[in-house]
Amino acid sequence: MAEGKVRVYLAATLPMLAEARTAGEVAPVAAHAVTPALREWYVEGDEEELEYVAFTRAAQDALRLLHADAAAARRRVVVSADVAAGAVRQQDGELGSSAVQVSAAVRLTDVAAIHVDDADAESAVAAAAEVVDQAAAGDPDAQFTVDSAEDHELLWYAPSELADVLDQ
């Protein structure tokens, strides 16, 4: 990663990726990064573990986006991008928070990778999208459903494979 850049994880849906391909940029709806609050909360975690936490939270936000868009394919999407540090601001000071606000659209040239669920995950993701807010509120049954979706690893694609991802 270039100096002065921050790796952010942007929650998205497949229709949002299609819009990004047309526009040449990803709209940062929900974003996560390794923040000072996350580092303080998880002091024993190394950089890779902290990035995994931020990535997983972006995948959970992708569930919320799917809940809001009933027409979207039931696949979580996370876009990893390296953006200028000055364009990223921690959203809240809550201990352990990875939520950030990205002040501008993220150019496709800044995308490091695209992560998308495999078709095999669709039923688990569909169920999780319906209960993600209840899980966040502490419902153990809903959390079990969300965890079932998280058991599916998101597939990794290079930015140059965006058209292939969308054509699947």
Side-chain angles (χ1 to χ4, degrees):
M1 190 175 353
E3 193 171 318
K5 299 275 188 174
V6 173
R7 172 67 50 97
V8 294
Y9 303 95
L10 308 167
T13 62
L14 288 173
M16 292 171 70
L17 279 184
E19 290 174 18
R21 177 172 59 175
T22 301
E25 59 188 28
V26 180
V29 176
H32 292 267
V34 176
T35 63
L38 181 59
R39 285 183 196 287
E40 185 178 343
W41 170 73
Y42 196 45
V43 293
E44 67 278 354
D46 63 21
E47 193 68 19
E48 188 173 320
E49 290 170 313
L50 293 170
E51 288 178 355
Y52 185 75
V53 170
F55 176 87
T56 301
R57 289 178 180 170
Q60 288 173 351
D61 279 346
L63 290 173
R64 288 180 181 85
L65 294 173
L66 289 172
H67 181 73
D69 183 356
R74 305 285 93 177
R75 296 187 189 192
R76 296 168 298 166
V77 175
V78 175
V79 177
S80 298
D82 299 322
V83 299
V88 179
R89 192 179 80 235
Q90 188 167 331
Q91 226 169 353
D92 62 49
E94 185 177 318
L95 187 62
S97 176
S98 62
V100 295
Q101 185 171 18
V102 180
S103 62
V106 176
R107 297 176 311 220
L108 287 181
T109 56
D110 294 329
V111 171
I114 301 164
H115 313 271
V116 182
D117 274 310
D118 186 273
D120 293 344
E122 284 187 1
S123 62
V125 170
E130 292 304 312
V131 299
V132 66
D133 289 330
Q134 292 95 319
D139 180 323
D141 293 331
Q143 186 61 55
F144 179 80
T145 302
V146 170
D147 290 346
S148 294
E150 290 177 357
D151 287 343
H152 295 270
E153 293 288 327
L154 279 78
L155 302 176
W156 181 96
Y157 296 93
S160 61
E161 297 176 288
L162 177 58
D164 297 331
V165 170
L166 293 171
D167 291 342
Q168 292 181 14

